[in-house]
């Protein structure tokens, strides 16, 4: 791992560095980690929505009280978990999201542990648990076990509170940086996305209660829009790491020979 100090190096470009001994070493920008996470996560949800809309529209907008035309937009749970092949495409793409997501947690720890060791460790473990609960509501759908699905989703949202708060607090303490001003600006962006995320929760709960308790026609569609908004803000929050990770280079170094170690 190498901290890139070049201000104008193009993100994502694989650079070849010649070693003193005459060998060569490829270095890859850390920008790719949050970029791939954003691409796979976005493709998973958007792909499931497009497939469900095309193949099972009337089925995925229907709930226990109403169907089309009273309800005309599907919830996240109905989109990702109820029908083939949307469910399968979603689960394959979300599995591809796991490696960059775990690398995000690992390298956030690496970048911030010197400046804030306790908070860096807390962020890593909270991020890991949050990823595990995400798998819980992704791979155990509401159709498989409604209670497990809901418990895992609630746990995921609760863990999002310390996750976003900690990351906002230590993101500007990155070990490598092109510009302190860019770090401060990106921290402000995180605050706005965080506020949007948690600001969408109260109206989402309100419309869910209107649907579940008062059985108001169309309430579930409105609830679904706020549920999808949470997905957008969640993915957007982690995508902002492209700013900090652009200053990070990843490399594989040859191991020292036994003679060199001695």
């Amino acid at each position: 791992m190498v901290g890139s100090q070049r201000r104008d190096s193009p993100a994502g470009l694989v650079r070849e560095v010649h070693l003193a001994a005459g060998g060569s070493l490829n270095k890859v920008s850390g920008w790719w980690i949050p970029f791939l996470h954003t691409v796979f996560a976005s493709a998973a949800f958007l792909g499931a929505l497009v497939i469900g809309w095309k193949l099972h529209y009337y089925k995925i907008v229907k709930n226990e009280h109403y169907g089309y035309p009273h309800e005309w937009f599907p919830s996240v749970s109905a989109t990702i978990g109820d029908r083939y092949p949307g469910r399968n495409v979603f689960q394959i793409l979300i599995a591809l999201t796991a490696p960059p997501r775990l690398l995000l947690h690992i390298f956030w720890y690496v970048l911030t542990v010197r400046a804030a060791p306790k908070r860096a460790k807390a962020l890593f473990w909270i991020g890991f648990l949050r990823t595990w609960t995400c798998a819980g509501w992704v791979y155990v759908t509401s159709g498989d076990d409604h209670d497990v699905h809901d418990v895992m989703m609630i746990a995921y949202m609760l863990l999002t509170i310390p996750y976003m708060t900690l990351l906002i607090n230590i993101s500007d303490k990155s070990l490598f940086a092109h510009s302190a001003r860019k770090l401060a600006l990106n921290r402000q962006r995180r605050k706005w996305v965080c506020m949007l995320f948690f600001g969408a929760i109260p109206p989402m709960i309100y419309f869910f209660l209107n649907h579940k308790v008062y059985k108001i026609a169309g309430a579930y569609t409105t609830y679904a829009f706020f549920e999808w908004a949470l997905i957008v803000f969640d993915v957007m929050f982690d995508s902002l790491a492209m700013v900090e990770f652009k200053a990070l280079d990843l490399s594989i170094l040859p191991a020292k020979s036994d003679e060199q170690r001695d």
Side-chain angles (χ1 to χ4, degrees):
M1 181 188 72
V2 179
S4 171
Q5 302 299 326
R6 295 179 297 278
R7 292 177 179 270
D8 301 322
S9 58
L13 180 65
V14 179
R15 295 176 289 273
E16 185 175 291
V17 178
H18 292 278
L19 302 178
S24 66
L25 171 68
N26 284 332
K27 294 165 64 177
V28 181
S29 173
W31 176 88
W32 279 98
I33 296 173
F35 175 75
L36 290 175
H37 177 271
T38 304
V39 169
F40 288 137
S42 302
F45 286 99
L46 185 60
L49 179 61
V50 170
I51 292 172
W53 195 282
K54 289 290 186 180
L55 300 181
H56 312 290
Y57 174 73
Y58 294 104
K59 293 179 181 179
I60 62 176
V61 300
K62 185 178 180 180
N63 56 60
E64 66 266 38
H65 302 309
Y66 300 98
Y68 183 84
H70 300 290
E71 308 289 1
W72 56 273
F73 200 82
S75 67
V76 173
S77 297
T79 301
I80 68 174
D82 283 359
R83 304 287 171 179
Y84 170 87
R87 168 178 176 166
N88 308 80
V89 170
F90 172 78
Q91 290 184 344
I92 290 170
L93 288 171
I94 213 69
L96 294 174
T97 309
R101 189 182 185 94
L102 292 173
L103 287 175
L104 270 175
H105 300 324
I106 291 170
F107 285 108
W108 268 126
Y109 174 80
V110 171
L111 291 175
T112 59
V113 68
R114 283 190 183 180
K118 291 183 179 179
R119 283 178 289 173
K121 290 177 183 177
L123 177 64
F124 174 80
W125 288 111
I126 289 170
F128 180 82
L129 288 173
R130 188 168 171 267
T131 300
W132 182 77
T133 57
C134 177
W137 60 264
V138 163
Y139 290 101
V140 181
T141 66
S142 57
D144 296 330
D145 191 315
H146 204 284
D147 292 337
V148 172
H149 178 82
D150 287 350
V151 167
M152 286 294 187
M153 184 172 285
I154 291 170
Y156 179 85
M157 293 177 66
L158 290 175
L159 286 168
T160 300
I161 299 173
Y163 175 76
M164 287 189 173
T165 303
L166 282 168
L167 192 47
I168 288 170
N169 287 335
I170 67 174
S171 61
D172 60 344
K173 296 175 175 58
S174 175
L175 182 63
F176 304 130
H178 286 157
S179 167
R181 180 178 171 274
K182 287 183 179 180
L183 292 185
L185 182 61
N186 211 37
R187 186 170 183 241
Q188 289 299 118
R189 293 192 191 104
R190 283 193 176 88
K191 288 182 179 179
W192 280 108
V193 176
C194 181
M195 286 190 287
L196 289 171
F197 182 92
F198 290 108
I201 293 177
M204 184 185 74
I205 295 173
Y206 171 77
F207 285 105
F208 180 77
L209 291 175
N210 280 344
H211 156 73
K212 199 73 174 178
V213 178
Y214 304 110
K215 301 178 183 179
I216 297 175
Y220 200 71
T221 291
T222 309
Y223 157 81
F225 280 117
F226 284 103
E227 191 181 28
W228 279 101
L230 291 184
I231 298 298
V232 173
F233 298 143
D234 192 355
V235 175
M236 188 185 300
F237 186 85
D238 282 323
S239 73
L240 293 173
M242 281 186 269
V243 172
E244 291 84 5
F245 280 53
K246 188 177 180 180
L248 176 70
D249 282 342
L250 306 177
S251 60
I252 300 176
L253 298 173
K256 291 182 178 180
S257 64
D258 292 337
E259 292 81 2
Q260 290 175 316
R261 289 172 184 170
D262 295 336

